[in-house]
Amino acid sequence: MLDDLDYSPLAAPVDPAAALAHAKANAARPARDVACCAFLSALVFAAVFGCLSVLLNMYLAGTYPDGGVGIRLLGLLPLAIGLGLVLLIVVLSRKSGRQERINHYRIMQFAARNGMGYRMKVKDPEHPAGVFDIGVNRCAIDVVSIEDPRPMEIGQYSYTAGVHNAETFHWGYATASLHADLPHLRLTSKAKGMGTVRESGKVTLGQPDLRGPGTEAFSVSGPFGRRQEIQALLDRTLFSPDLLARYAERPVHIELVENRLYFFSPKPLSTSNPDTWRWLLALLADTAERLES
């Protein structure tokens, strides 16, 4: 199935009305979101630049008491700049919201064309990987599920955590089932700009002293006291030269947990980019097969 997918819906023209209807049918409220953003922005900028206009008018009135209309208009310059910024924010927000709806629609069409499942939004997605167990406002969007040749799921996951739940984290994820009983392993890519996938802390893993070229690409966490077993497993699977070369091209964090394989990336994985899908599905399937061999 993965060899003959139709990727054309990912780049096909989209009727904005159909994309909007699809978003509303999936409980999205784009118009309200844009309106709230515009209203709050207007309040902030009106207050800040309005105060600047008042102060500037007071200064100009004291400095140029006989100033004409030009001086008075100059005093309104900060307010005009503020209103211009509000208009710019509204335009950009509407454009961003429109493109986001189109992307949702294209991914949905891609999934439907190829007999895949699609859910635009999944609250509190249930997965054994630790990142799905922390923070608040946990949500996955553009979740695509595949049944053949093996169960897979690809989506975009976000959650809010940190001091006073002030920071939102975003991860693209892809997962596949494994017909193999493997130890719980986390492989954190050392590639630049990858960041670190935070974990819930419910499971404590050690840092086995491993050897080989794979340790230059990943830092590995695994069960205590099983260093030799982990080294042998990785050497014949994930640390094989061909897979390491492919991970170097497009780095991902990797986790093996409860007979499932996970990829995590700070870049979107469920996307309207056909090349991303071709690369991801092939690598996910090949990695799963290698782990089962």
Side-chain angles (χ1 to χ4, degrees):
M1 174 183 173
L2 298 182
D3 294 331
D4 59 353
L5 295 178
D6 183 357
Y7 295 95
S8 61
L10 294 172
V14 173
D15 179 3
L20 180 61
H22 174 253
K24 290 182 177 179
N26 285 273
R29 296 178 296 183
R32 180 177 297 183
D33 291 343
V34 172
C36 289
C37 177
F39 178 72
L40 292 176
S41 299
L43 287 180
V44 172
F45 283 107
V48 172
F49 286 91
C51 289
L52 290 177
S53 283
V54 171
L55 294 174
L56 182 58
N57 267 307
M58 292 174 61
Y59 169 79
L60 293 174
T63 306
Y64 306 100
D66 297 327
V69 175
I71 295 297
R72 298 293 178 264
L73 291 176
L74 182 61
L76 296 176
L77 181 60
L79 183 59
I81 293 174
L83 293 176
L85 290 175
V86 170
L87 179 61
L88 179 63
I89 289 175
V90 171
V91 171
L92 292 178
S93 296
R94 289 179 62 87
K95 182 178 180 180
S96 175
R98 183 164 54 249
Q99 187 59 53
E100 184 176 337
R101 293 192 296 272
I102 289 174
N103 289 341
H104 288 317
Y105 190 80
R106 282 175 169 161
I107 296 171
M108 180 274 293
Q109 292 285 78
F110 166 67
R113 182 74 59 85
N114 293 285
M116 304 172 179
Y118 174 83
R119 289 173 291 173
M120 184 170 143
K121 187 174 184 179
V122 179
K123 292 184 178 181
D124 299 320
E126 296 183 1
H127 285 280
V131 71
F132 292 97
D133 214 21
I134 57 177
V136 297
N137 300 325
R138 297 187 295 272
C139 181
I141 62 171
D142 288 332
V143 179
V144 175
S145 55
I146 302 170
E147 293 302 322
D148 295 317
R150 71 171 66 241
M152 298 180 179
E153 182 178 299
I154 299 92
Q156 295 300 119
Y157 175 63
S158 65
Y159 65 93
T160 304
V163 180
H164 304 300
N165 293 323
E167 186 174 1
T168 300
F169 299 84
H170 301 272
W171 289 101
Y173 75 92
T175 180
S177 64
L178 295 172
H179 301 293
D181 187 13
L182 302 173
H184 186 180
L185 296 176
R186 296 188 193 123
L187 284 73
T188 301
S189 174
K190 296 181 180 179
K192 185 178 179 180
M194 287 295 291
T196 302
V197 180
R198 295 178 58 182
E199 300 292 340
S200 65
K202 290 184 177 181
V203 178
T204 302
L205 299 177
Q207 302 290 323
D209 183 18
L210 304 179
R211 298 288 187 268
T215 58
E216 299 175 4
F218 295 98
S219 60
V220 181
S221 302
F224 292 96
R226 300 173 66 176
R227 184 190 67 81
Q228 291 183 343
E229 177 188 350
I230 293 171
Q231 181 81 67
L233 168 64
L234 293 177
D235 285 345
R236 72 172 186 268
T237 58
L238 305 183
F239 285 178
S240 57
D242 58 327
L243 282 182
L244 282 177
R246 293 169 72 179
Y247 298 142
E249 293 175 0
R250 295 197 188 189
V252 291
H253 301 303
I254 303 173
E255 185 168 3
L256 308 179
V257 56
E258 295 186 14
N259 297 332
R260 294 200 69 86
L261 164 67
Y262 285 89
F263 288 165
F264 293 101
S265 173
K267 298 179 180 180
L269 294 182
S270 183
T271 171
S272 59
N273 185 337
D275 290 336
T276 297
W277 282 100
R278 292 187 181 95
W279 156 77
L280 176 63
L281 295 178
L283 185 59
L284 188 64
D286 292 346
T287 302
E289 290 176 6
R290 187 68 60 87
L291 289 166
E292 293 175 345
S293 62

